[in-house]
């Protein structure tokens, strides 16, 4: 049995499987964070739309943003890594800003 350079009792194949598994877990966790960020912002716009008077300019703007983020939610996995990174950076800030601005 080849212990390899790590000397941890695992074969090179076992280490490779572990590395691939960890990479898969990281991809799934990233996707969950992305989905959560977009869904959170969309829910905020949905709540703001619900608070506004139906048909008002404010309601129309919240409705437009709610629909827009629904499209982002559907296509987030198709965005480039840079665009996804931007979402992970900007959306939590946007959610906090909206909550503070609208006393949520």
């Amino acid at each position: 049995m080849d212990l390899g350079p790590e000397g941890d009792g695992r074969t090179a194949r076992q280490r490779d499987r572990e590395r691939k598994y960890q990479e898969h877990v990281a991809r799934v966790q990233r996707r969950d964070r992305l989905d959560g960020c977009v869904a959170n912002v969309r829910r905020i716009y949905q709540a703001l739309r619900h608070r506004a008077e139906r048909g008002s300019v404010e309601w129309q703007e919240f409705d437009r943003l709610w629909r827009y983020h629904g499209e982002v939610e559907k296509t987030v996995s198709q965005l480039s890594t840079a665009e996804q990174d931007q979402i992970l950076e900007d959306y939590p800030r946007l959610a906090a800003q909206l909550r503070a601005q609208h006393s949520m």
Side-chain angles (χ1 to χ4, degrees):
M1 174 190 233
D2 176 26
L3 295 181
E6 282 80 18
D8 60 4
R10 297 181 300 157
T11 65
R13 183 174 180 205
Q14 289 170 325
R15 285 189 299 277
D16 187 51
R17 285 183 68 190
E18 175 68 19
R19 180 187 54 78
K20 287 179 181 178
Y21 174 75
Q22 293 300 327
E23 288 170 357
H24 172 73
V25 168
R27 283 191 306 272
V28 169
Q29 289 173 338
R30 177 184 170 84
R31 177 62 194 258
D32 286 348
R33 284 193 331 271
L34 276 166
D35 290 345
C37 286
V38 177
N40 189 31
V41 168
R42 186 166 189 239
R43 281 190 301 269
I44 292 169
Y45 281 120
Q46 182 179 22
L48 292 171
R49 183 184 71 157
H50 183 72
R51 288 179 172 186
E53 183 179 331
R54 187 169 184 76
S56 69
V57 174
E58 186 179 47
W59 183 91
Q60 290 173 3
E61 180 64 9
F62 292 146
D63 183 63
R64 182 187 69 76
L65 290 165
W66 175 73
R67 291 178 190 279
Y68 169 77
H69 290 289
E71 290 303 312
V72 172
E73 197 170 22
K74 292 177 191 174
T75 60
V76 72
S77 65
Q78 298 168 7
L79 298 175
S80 71
T81 301
E83 291 169 318
Q84 290 177 351
D85 289 343
Q86 197 66 46
I87 286 173
L88 288 170
E89 184 177 325
D90 293 346
Y91 274 49
R93 239 187 327 224
L94 175 60
Q97 177 186 351
L98 288 169
R99 282 191 187 102
Q101 183 178 358
H102 296 282
S103 302
M104 297 177 84

